[in-house]
Amino acid sequence: MSKRKLSNLQKSRIRAVQEQRMERAKDGNSITIHKIDNVDDLGPEISGTVVSNFGTQVDVEANDGDLNGKIIRCHMRSNLDPLVTGDKVIWRFAEPYGVVVAQIDRYSELIRPDAYGKLRPVAANVDVIAIVFSPKPTAFSNLIDRYLVAAEAQNIQPVLILNKTDLDTENEFSSINQLVHDYKSIGYDVLSVSAKTADGFESLKDYLCNKTAVFVGQSGVGKSSLINRLQPQANAVVGSLSIGKEKGTHTTTVSRLFHFAHGGILIDSPGIREFSLTHLTQEQVINSFIDFRPYLGRCKFRDCLHKSEPGCSLLDAISQKKILQSRFDNYHQIIMSQESERR
Ligand code: GDP
Ligand code: ZN
């Protein structure tokens, strides 16, 4: 699909710009440096990636220099914007800690409403949202569409991962095969795998190897199992992600960045696996149905609700089988659930 290709191209351009900035930063030339520490005993500037955020401190993985690959607990200059997992930074070492002196612009942000409904970034520079589904628990297209909308609205590429292909419960698989067929026909990548037998893992590894991914999907579909098989080390740390209650605030659950053994990066936390669509406008929701896009803005009435209006371009597309009825029903279901959640 040309739209998808364009956005990949844009992403790779943006990434090239980021890399140039990093290069310039290494050479000591200008980038957006929010504040540089004057203290002389700080080491040279090093590029790094935030692997975990603890409010006032972050763990940064060094991406060059003698400490390359090491994770250093860093303080942040107070006038830096809050950093999140996945942020690219410039930092300086001052045994035993580091100091983050600059944040590089993000090319993508994963946004969540916090406990007070305020939208906040929870991860940066994510390339792909892997939406996991399975025959058991039963996969429903309305749930998959909610995840797809969340991904599209944040401009992050989704990929669908059908897990548990080792199960051969025939009834489930006829409807699963239909789902796979439908999403492929819309233009989405669908990978079929089994975390149990490792079936399909070569394609999965190839797909993830040069990307930063988050895994989402309903409980029980096998996200942890997939992640563990891709990177056993990830699990050990996932258990310690919750850093407990801070004074007077809700329990803070931080996300964490891991490297897959075969290349590629995972950002994970229990909170990152769930989405809410409440904050999206109706326009953002409908635009996130990528198969609707060719028909948007073409209805007879400008304020068409796409329910039963004459001259509705979306209804026409359905009767011509250019849009799936299930996608259309799921769109209306999302709009309705948003309305009732807001009430
Ligand atoms: P999560 O809630 O999405 O993280 O799912 P889990 O990874 O905890 O898996 C839920 C259950 O499904 C566990 O009992 C797993 O052993 C099982 N499971 C995960 N992947 C597979 C698979 O590929 N095949 C089969 N048969 N079971 C699986
Ligand atoms: Zn319409």
Side-chain angles (χ1 to χ4, degrees):
M1 308 232 336
S2 61
K3 280 203 164 120
R4 173 72 62 223
K5 276 190 195 133
L6 187 67
S7 93
N8 278 338
L9 193 68
Q10 285 167 335
K11 277 181 191 161
S12 71
R13 282 202 192 116
I14 292 167
R15 181 165 291 183
V17 170
Q18 298 286 358
E19 277 164 8
Q20 282 168 9
R21 284 204 183 129
M22 296 288 275
E23 285 305 315
R24 282 209 303 274
K26 280 185 228 157
D27 298 336
N29 291 331
S30 73
I31 54 154
T32 326
I33 296 202
H34 299 258
K35 186 185 171 188
I36 295 196
D37 204 284
N38 289 325
V39 184
D40 287 335
D41 53 0
L42 290 177
E45 293 188 349
I46 305 171
S47 59
T49 307
V50 174
V51 297
S52 201
N53 173 331
F54 303 99
T56 56
Q57 294 178 350
V58 287
D59 276 351
V60 173
E61 183 187 82
N63 293 144
D64 59 16
D66 296 342
L67 295 167
N68 195 0
K70 295 260 181 336
I71 293 173
I72 314 290
R73 181 63 51 92
C74 286
H75 298 281
M76 294 178 279
R77 290 294 109 222
S78 57
N79 51 353
L80 278 181
D81 286 337
L83 296 172
V84 297
T85 303
D87 262 323
K88 300 286 180 190
V89 296
I90 304 297
W91 66 285
R92 300 173 68 180
F93 193 47
E95 184 94 52
Y97 292 109
V99 180
V100 176
V101 295
Q103 178 199 346
I104 313 286
D105 293 341
R106 297 169 183 159
Y107 63 81
S108 78
E109 275 183 339
L110 208 65
I111 307 252
R112 289 296 142 80
D114 66 11
Y116 308 99
K118 191 173 183 331
L119 292 178
R120 291 189 191 285
V122 292
N125 305 321
V126 173
D127 298 301
V128 62
I129 294 179
I131 302 169
V132 184
F133 64 110
S134 74
K136 257 189 180 138
T138 311
F140 294 106
S141 71
N142 60 354
L143 198 59
I144 294 177
D145 283 341
R146 291 182 70 90
Y147 285 114
L148 284 172
V149 165
E152 296 288 352
Q154 300 182 91
N155 239 329
I156 301 177
Q157 180 177 327
V159 59
L160 296 173
I161 300 183
L162 166 63
N163 186 33
K164 311 198 188 185
T165 53
D166 59 288
L167 295 178
D168 59 354
T169 37
E170 211 151 273
N171 285 342
E172 279 93 354
F173 264 99
S174 64
S175 66
I176 279 279
N177 289 338
Q178 186 64 47
L179 281 181
V180 170
H181 172 269
D182 288 349
Y183 286 109
K184 281 187 175 166
S185 75
I186 293 169
Y188 285 116
D189 290 329
V190 186
L191 302 175
S192 298
V193 301
S194 165
K196 189 172 176 187
T197 65
D199 185 43
F201 261 58
E202 285 315 307
S203 308
L204 180 60
K205 287 175 182 173
D206 283 351
Y207 189 90
L208 296 173
C209 78
N210 47 11
K211 300 185 178 76
T212 296
V214 299
F215 279 57
V216 302
Q218 67 171 311
S219 176
V221 293
K223 296 178 294 297
S224 308
S225 308
L226 288 170
I227 289 166
N228 289 347
R229 204 179 243 283
L230 288 164
Q231 174 52 297
Q233 186 195 321
N235 189 40
V237 200
V238 169
S240 62
L241 280 177
S242 175
I243 58 170
K245 283 193 169 64
E246 287 176 5
K247 227 180 5 183
T249 66
H250 291 262
T251 302
T252 315
T253 312
V254 294
S255 52
R256 182 154 181 112
L257 183 148
F258 306 93
H259 291 272
F260 286 129
H262 55 275
I265 285 169
L266 166 75
I267 295 181
D268 196 30
S269 80
I272 245 172
R273 297 177 180 186
E274 303 303 327
F275 282 135
S276 152
L277 303 178
T278 323
H279 60 282
L280 298 180
T281 64
Q282 189 160 340
E283 198 180 350
Q284 282 175 309
V285 173
I286 203 162
N287 274 304
S288 299
F289 280 80
I290 60 169
D291 40 341
F292 295 4
R293 287 177 186 167
Y295 311 101
L296 298 181
R298 295 177 172 224
C299 300
K300 183 171 167 195
F301 300 111
R302 277 191 68 176
D303 58 351
C304 184
L305 295 173
H306 324 300
K307 285 183 175 160
S308 56
E309 293 88 341
C312 172
S313 161
L314 286 177
L315 289 170
D316 285 350
I318 287 171
S319 60
Q320 291 168 36
K321 300 209 181 314
K322 289 179 174 157
I323 288 179
L324 292 166
Q325 182 72 45
S326 60
R327 293 272 288 170
F328 191 68
D329 294 343
N330 293 342
Y331 161 72
H332 280 296
Q333 205 181 78
I334 290 172
I335 297 298
M336 263 164 36
S337 73
Q338 280 187 311
E339 282 165 5
S340 67
E341 276 167 45
R342 284 189 192 122
R343 255 182 257 129

